[in-house]
Amino acid sequence: MPIQILPAQLANQIAAGEVVERPASVIKELVENSLDAGADRIEVEVDKGGHKRILIRDNGSGIGKQELTLALSRHATSKIHCLDDLEQIISLGFRGEALASISSVSRLTLTSKPQAQPEAWQAIAEGRDMRVRLIPAAHPDGTSVEVLDLFFNTPARRKFLRTEKTEFQHIDEVIRRIALSRFDTAFSLKHNGKLLRQYPKAASQAARQKRVALVCGQGFAQQALTISSELQGLSLHGWLSLEPASQPDQQYFYVNGRMMRDKLIHHAIRQAFEGWLPQEAHPAFVLYLTLDAREVDVNVHPAKHEVRFHQARLVHDFIFRALQDALEQPAPEQTPATLSSTRSVQVAEPRHDYIRPLQSKTVTGTSRDLNGSRQPVASRAVKSYQQLVTSSSAPRTQEQWLLIRGRYLLLSAEDNCYLVPLYRLERNRLANLLDHEPVSQPLLMPVAIPCDETLAAAFSRHQEALPALALDIQMHARRLLVKQVPAGLRQHDWSTLLPPLLSAPAQHLKERLLELLANAQKNYTAEQAATLWQWHSDHEDPEITLKQWGRRIPLEDWLHD
């Protein structure tokens, strides 16, 4: 068969196979066009699950008469003009294929009126011959696109459409996802003439939360955590649920306002939730990632479901750490009426008899059965409980200990109390780790740190000493790449730790690393404190540990106070 140029109709139908999978795909493309046109009110009407009719009406800027025919041509767009535009795309659509592809497999009517144009004009196109007819029409400012008989001229594609109910469920989900991406726009959805969804504009935070409740349900909105984090030009905000879900049907992620289902993003989220949810459960979230448009390539998928980040490792670790920090934050106080169940939390008992453990006051928090996984809110409740309590049945000579303000451990030994800073215990543990030929552990992906001349000079001075600290760091394209760190310390934010580490004098490099790592942990949970104390009890004489690291408070003075 000789090589030949494909006819325009066939080329458009091939393109339609990439971007027009079902009625929901048509609606996504057309609604995104409306948003790019500046519309703040978009109405969607469908009949028979979109099989028979789709109508999108907006109040955007509209299309002039002289451009209506061109708008239905392939690769016609007003959103990019040169290669530089392609490298920093801020619009939702830019390929110029949607209208041409849709008109090649349906009967399409495009009606539009810009505000400056005295009358509206209508462009009518049918897929069989692709000819466009222009006629005057009555229409308010804005644009309407009506799509009739989808896939009427491609029977092979039409037979793959599902039932009316199934196709409408996909349409409903598309509108839900778009409604969460643009709170400044009102949306409505009608099916077979019946209004089923209506999302008013949401200008205030309370209104936004109300829209989230409309989309995700009241249960999600009432117990979701609010997250907000920024780092090196990246911003992540939104809502996060601790409630395990059996299906991944409440996972909404947006990159610069664009709906996204990206493998790298999904991996970062799953990694952050590791240990918080059982293996078969799914997290629920509504998250918005914002970054410089030049740092992300959205032109990697015809339907724009995936993106490619120029600093993939930085984005991955930023999402992971931001979510992990949010999950580990102390839970807000809740009244007993709002708790689904409760669980008592107690500090682990030390091994040595002369150090008396605290029989802690029962602390309650939300505690859901996660099939053996850790109970996040319940375990954090002890950290938020900052009052010393004593057991009414214990004699006064056997006072107890408790975690105070997440930073200190109060213990009793013989006739004295000792206040032990946990960061000093952590520093001692880390020193022991680095003194005995530390094992280097590779990161999942290297951490990239922008490198100026000062940081580059500091790295050159310490480059030979870093392997002794189990650090594998390389310089590449004006960035430092952290590839391996001491085993057990991967959870730390090395992009924050490395610059101050390299600024230290060569003879104090190890001490500076210990200081940074010990102070990186701002608050300890009861479980972490107990584990840390247990480690010292196993490796050193507890009495020596108390006298070396703790501040002695005579028991009589403490009881008197």
Side-chain angles (χ1 to χ4, degrees):
M1 183 179 295
I3 298 175
Q4 58 183 347
I5 301 296
L6 292 176
Q9 178 189 1
L10 182 56
N12 285 334
Q13 289 180 340
I14 293 174
E18 297 176 330
V19 300
V20 184
E21 301 173 4
R22 59 193 337 147
S25 305
V26 173
I27 290 174
K28 173 184 177 294
E29 296 291 340
L30 297 180
V31 171
E32 287 182 346
N33 279 346
S34 296
L35 292 172
D36 284 339
D40 62 2
R41 187 181 71 254
I42 299 176
E43 301 170 4
V44 181
E45 299 180 13
V46 296
D47 292 336
K48 304 295 184 181
H51 293 203
K52 185 65 178 175
R53 174 177 175 264
I54 297 171
L55 174 64
I56 312 293
R57 184 183 297 111
D58 68 58
N59 64 342
S61 59
I63 305 173
K65 174 187 175 183
Q66 67 278 10
E67 295 180 340
L68 277 177
T69 301
L70 188 61
L72 297 178
S73 302
R74 194 179 182 200
H75 302 314
T77 180
S78 62
K79 299 166 188 177
I80 60 173
H81 299 89
C82 61
L83 182 59
D84 290 341
D85 295 337
L86 191 61
E87 293 178 352
Q88 47 183 343
I89 294 173
I90 58 175
S91 59
L92 296 174
F94 55 89
R95 289 172 173 264
E97 292 180 346
L99 289 175
S101 299
I102 296 169
S103 66
S104 70
V105 292
S106 68
R107 296 182 173 94
L108 184 142
T109 302
L110 172 63
T111 310
S112 189
K113 178 187 178 297
Q115 186 177 8
Q117 189 170 286
E119 60 181 351
W121 284 83
Q122 190 173 84
I124 302 173
E126 292 190 3
R128 194 167 300 279
D129 55 12
M130 300 292 293
R131 285 197 300 248
V132 179
R133 294 186 292 116
L134 280 181
I135 58 174
H139 193 277
D141 293 346
T143 302
S144 293
V145 182
E146 186 178 48
V147 178
L148 301 177
D149 299 326
L150 189 62
F151 300 134
F152 81 98
N153 59 343
T154 52
R157 297 281 305 282
R158 191 179 184 89
K159 69 180 182 181
F160 284 100
L161 292 178
R162 303 305 180 191
T163 64
E164 175 182 331
K165 179 180 178 181
T166 300
E167 293 299 343
F168 179 75
Q169 288 175 344
H170 286 282
I171 293 171
D172 188 24
E173 179 61 20
V174 164
I175 298 301
R176 288 154 64 94
R177 288 185 174 274
I178 296 177
L180 286 177
S181 72
R182 294 293 296 266
F183 292 101
D184 60 340
T185 304
F187 298 90
S188 66
L189 173 62
K190 290 183 179 180
H191 187 217
N192 295 332
K194 183 178 180 181
L195 180 63
L196 298 181
R197 297 285 182 266
Q198 191 164 16
Y199 305 109
K201 285 185 183 180
S204 65
Q205 184 65 18
R208 293 183 179 186
Q209 291 178 345
K210 185 176 180 180
R211 179 176 288 193
V212 171
L214 286 174
V215 174
C216 301
Q218 289 292 341
F220 177 95
Q222 290 174 358
Q223 58 85 43
L225 301 174
T226 300
I227 177 174
S228 181
S229 183
E230 294 184 6
L231 174 69
Q232 298 183 21
L234 302 174
S235 173
L236 183 70
H237 68 280
W239 295 270
L240 200 63
S241 174
L242 290 175
E243 194 75 41
S246 59
Q247 299 294 331
D249 56 352
Q250 287 190 353
Q251 297 183 350
Y252 302 98
F253 199 98
Y254 304 87
V255 178
N256 288 348
R258 185 186 303 276
M259 294 186 294
M260 202 54 56
R261 290 173 178 163
D262 187 80
K263 294 180 180 178
L264 180 139
I265 293 171
H266 181 72
H267 182 273
I269 295 173
R270 289 295 302 183
Q271 190 177 29
F273 272 92
E274 187 175 343
W276 292 85
L277 299 175
Q279 290 292 331
E280 66 277 8
H282 301 272
F285 50 83
V286 179
L287 296 171
Y288 306 87
L289 176 67
T290 306
L291 71 165
D292 191 329
R294 291 168 293 188
E295 292 295 321
V296 56
D297 182 7
V298 300
N299 189 28
V300 296
H301 190 281
K304 303 181 285 292
H305 290 313
E306 300 176 5
V307 295
R308 181 181 294 114
F309 298 101
H310 294 309
Q311 298 187 60
R313 179 64 199 186
L314 176 63
V315 173
H316 177 280
D317 284 358
F318 169 68
I319 296 172
F320 165 71
R321 288 171 182 145
L323 299 186
Q324 193 175 60
D325 288 347
L327 291 170
E328 292 177 354
Q329 286 296 317
E333 294 185 3
Q334 302 179 24
T335 60
T338 65
L339 303 179
S340 58
S341 60
T342 61
R343 175 189 177 201
S344 300
V345 183
Q346 293 186 341
V347 179
E349 180 177 353
R351 301 178 68 181
H352 299 271
D353 294 337
Y354 71 89
I355 297 178
R356 304 295 179 181
L358 169 72
Q359 296 176 348
S360 68
K361 178 181 178 180
T362 299
V363 182
T364 60
T366 301
S367 173
R368 304 172 181 86
D369 183 9
L370 301 183
N371 298 335
S373 65
R374 52 183 168 176
Q375 309 287 335
V377 177
S379 65
R380 294 199 303 268
V382 171
K383 180 170 66 177
S384 63
Y385 174 58
Q386 299 173 358
Q387 296 179 345
L388 291 175
V389 295
T390 58
S391 172
S392 58
S393 60
R396 288 194 173 186
T397 56
Q398 297 181 355
E399 292 301 335
Q400 306 141 342
W401 64 265
L402 186 67
L403 177 65
I404 303 175
R405 296 184 179 178
R407 295 286 286 170
Y408 302 93
L409 203 59
L410 182 69
L411 303 99
S412 63
E414 299 178 348
D415 293 330
N416 294 301
C417 287
Y418 291 87
L419 192 64
V420 184
L422 287 169
Y423 76 91
R424 299 187 69 179
L425 296 184
E426 177 67 4
R427 190 184 189 284
N428 189 44
R429 184 188 72 84
L430 293 170
N432 184 278
L433 176 68
L434 295 179
D435 283 342
H436 296 83
E437 297 183 4
V439 177
S440 186
Q441 183 179 27
L443 296 174
L444 183 64
M445 294 180 67
V447 175
I449 304 172
C451 184
D452 56 17
E453 294 182 1
T454 303
L455 188 59
F459 172 71
S460 299
R461 289 196 305 271
H462 298 309
Q463 188 171 6
E464 295 182 359
L466 292 174
L469 300 176
L471 290 170
D472 181 7
I473 304 173
Q474 299 177 13
M475 182 176 290
H476 178 71
R478 297 183 180 179
R479 288 185 174 89
L480 293 182
L481 299 180
V482 184
K483 294 189 173 183
Q484 298 190 55
V485 299
L489 302 178
R490 290 197 309 179
Q491 76 278 11
H492 287 283
D493 184 359
W494 287 95
S495 63
T496 302
L497 294 174
L498 192 59
L501 172 64
L502 295 179
S503 66
Q507 65 271 25
H508 300 303
L509 196 62
K510 178 180 175 182
E511 288 73 14
R512 181 60 170 157
L513 177 60
L514 292 174
E515 178 186 353
L516 291 170
L517 290 173
N519 285 284
Q521 181 86 9
K522 300 302 181 184
N523 290 287
Y524 293 79
T525 65
E527 295 168 339
Q528 291 171 331
T531 300
L532 188 56
W533 176 251
Q534 188 66 56
W535 185 92
H536 280 79
S537 299
D538 291 340
H539 290 77
E540 300 179 5
D541 187 331
E543 185 174 359
I544 295 176
T545 299
L546 288 179
K547 292 181 179 179
Q548 182 177 5
W549 304 112
R551 174 175 172 240
R552 185 174 66 88
I553 307 175
L555 187 60
E556 295 177 357
D557 294 347
W558 180 64
L559 290 176
H560 182 270
D561 293 340

